[in-house]
Structures are given as structure tokens and as C-alpha cells.
Amino acid sequence: MKPWLSAGLSKVLLLLCLLMVAEQADAQRRRTTRRRTTRRTAVQRGGNHHQQRIAQFEREGGIDSTTVVMLGNSLTENGKDWQERIGTTRKIVNRGIIGDNTVGMTERLYQITPFKPKAIFLMAGINDMVGNTTAEQVAQHVITLIEHIRSQAPQTQLFVESILPIDETDGRWKTLAGRTDDIPFANMLIKAYCETHDITFIDIFSRMTRGRSNQLRAELSGDGLHLTEQGYRVWAFELKKYINRL
């Protein structure tokens, strides 16, 4: 090959490599921007409360190898004292935050996984089901969070709870409009992942639906999303079976 031709090809290859590097960097920038945007959305929903809960967890500490952690969003937080609710002497801490999604939960695992808790009961997914996010994407968000937990705390027993049903007839939660039937589909995908990765999946969804529908029973919620005391009794009854075996 003539020297001038060889030099020309080298320049072309170098240019192509530079373009590929630039494209990869731009893709990484877009992914980072999406993560930050999603994180901001989660924090904005919780506002100052989110930061207050993070600070509260920091002050409380108290997680060790004997602790059971309830990790989740408002559904978990509003359950308050889960140790009393379930009726056990085992130490259970509430690490739920109103408005949190899978990105927010992933970012605050540093307050949980380094302490190697006995078990984590994960409730996540409903706050990811907003906008144009598909059921498949919601399931993948939850699975990604699961993988983070497993990689950071492989010795911790992980229990993944199904996304709970909603009742759209209340009409209050516009961001969840039309998502009633997406929830069981996302649950099916999450359950399938758990079954193939030796993770316990707890089906609470079917315990809370009306008849053969996918709709949340009216008596279990006052607003179509959050639970009444009766709703928490159903949830706690299901969890007790697993906590008693720890």
C-alpha cells in the first residue's frame, strides 16, 4: 500500500474512533441526565420531607445483621411501626419515604446495605409508573434495584413485594390514570425474574383486589392508592408468614 494511502486510512480510522468515543460519551451524558431528572422528580414529590427522612435515618442508624428493613415509598412509610404491626419481637425498621421511586431507593442504599441486615422487604414500582413509562420499563426499574441490593448485600435475605393495586374510580391520582391493568403485568415480569434468581416474591396484589378484577378493594384505601388500617392488616398478615421463618 502506498504511504499516502496508508496515512489516509489511518486518519479515517482515527476519525471514526473519535466519533465513536464522542457518541459513547454523549450517550453516557444522556443516561446521567435521565437519572438526575428522575431523581429530581422523586425528590420534588417528597420535597423537604424526603431530606428530613434521610437525615432521620442517619440519626437513627440501628441497622445490623439482626435487623429487618422495610424499604419502600409512602405505602411503607405510612405503615409506621412495622414491628408492632406484624406483632414480632424481631427488630424491624421503617425505611419508606413518601414519593420515592426506584432511583431514589437505589441512591440511599448506602444507609442500609453496608450494615448487612438480616432481611430487606422491598416495596417499589408504583412511583415509577408515571408518564409514558411502560409496564416493562417499570419492571426493569425494580429489577435493577433488586440487582443493586443483591450485589451490595448478597448475604441479606431479600423479599420482593408485588406492586399493590389501585382504584382509579377515585380519580385523584392523574399520573396513574389507565394503569390498573399495567400493574399485574409488571408484577408478572418481576415475579418471573425473582423465580429465576432464587428471590422470594410475595404476592400481596391478589390479596387486595376486588373479585376477579385488578382493582383495589374500596375498603382497603381512602384515596384509591394509599391504604387504610384494614389494608395494612392484609399486608401485615402476609408478611408475618415470612418474618416468622427468619
Side-chain angles (χ1 to χ4, degrees):
M1 182 179 293
K2 295 181 179 181
W4 63 268
L5 183 57
S6 177
L9 285 174
S10 296
K11 290 180 181 179
V12 170
L13 290 173
L14 178 60
L15 179 61
L16 288 173
C17 288
L18 290 173
L19 288 173
M20 289 176 63
V21 169
E23 184 177 353
Q24 290 173 352
D26 184 58
Q28 179 62 37
R29 178 189 60 77
R30 290 195 301 270
R31 287 194 295 270
T32 301
T33 300
R34 283 196 297 271
R35 287 196 296 269
R36 287 174 179 168
T37 299
T38 307
R39 176 61 177 151
R40 283 196 300 269
T41 300
V43 172
Q44 285 166 358
R45 279 197 299 270
N48 291 334
H49 177 76
H50 189 281
Q51 298 306 318
Q52 289 168 1
R53 286 287 281 175
I54 293 290
Q56 177 186 341
F57 299 155
E58 206 61 40
R59 291 192 303 270
E60 289 178 354
I63 296 177
D64 57 32
S65 61
T66 67
T67 309
V68 173
V69 177
M70 300 290 292
L71 176 59
N73 45 47
S74 60
L75 295 166
T76 297
E77 179 178 347
N78 293 341
K80 299 179 182 177
D81 188 342
W82 282 96
Q83 184 172 337
E84 179 181 355
R85 193 174 285 285
I86 291 172
T88 179
T89 57
R90 185 173 290 281
K91 181 181 177 183
I92 303 178
V93 297
N94 188 328
R95 291 296 181 264
I97 297 183
I98 293 170
D100 212 2
N101 60 16
T102 54
V103 174
M105 293 180 209
T106 300
E107 290 188 356
R108 56 190 180 89
L109 287 179
Y110 73 91
Q111 293 186 315
I112 300 171
T113 53
F115 305 102
K116 303 177 175 61
K118 177 72 174 178
I120 294 175
F121 284 78
L122 176 64
M123 171 59 69
I126 194 63
N127 287 334
D128 291 72
M129 197 164 283
V130 296
N132 295 321
T133 309
T134 66
E136 292 91 338
Q137 290 170 326
V138 171
Q140 187 55 58
H141 292 173
V142 175
I143 289 168
T144 299
L145 173 55
I146 290 170
E147 291 173 342
H148 280 292
I149 295 172
R150 293 268 280 186
S151 65
Q152 294 178 27
Q155 70 292 325
T156 295
Q157 295 183 59
L158 178 59
F159 298 85
V160 177
E161 302 160 290
S162 62
I163 304 172
L164 302 188
I166 59 175
D167 180 3
E168 291 190 56
T169 60
D170 183 272
R172 190 175 309 187
W173 306 101
K174 305 301 182 185
T175 56
L176 293 174
R179 307 314 297 266
T180 294
D181 294 331
D182 288 337
I183 295 174
F185 184 49
N187 281 333
M188 180 186 70
L189 297 175
I190 297 167
K191 180 181 180 181
Y193 174 87
C194 289
E195 288 178 343
T196 57
H197 290 80
D198 195 28
I199 299 170
T200 301
F201 179 85
I202 305 176
D203 176 21
I204 305 169
F205 177 91
S206 63
R207 307 294 187 271
M208 293 189 171
T209 51
R210 177 180 301 161
R212 297 182 180 179
S213 74
N214 293 322
Q215 185 175 317
L216 177 63
R217 285 154 47 194
E219 69 274 16
L220 301 185
S221 176
D223 62 4
L225 174 62
H226 299 103
L227 300 179
T228 60
E229 278 301 309
Q230 187 173 348
Y232 278 108
R233 282 196 293 272
V234 173
W235 188 354
F237 178 80
E238 293 301 318
L239 296 190
K240 190 170 184 177
K241 305 172 188 177
Y242 298 91
I243 290 178
N244 285 342
R245 299 173 192 164
L246 291 175

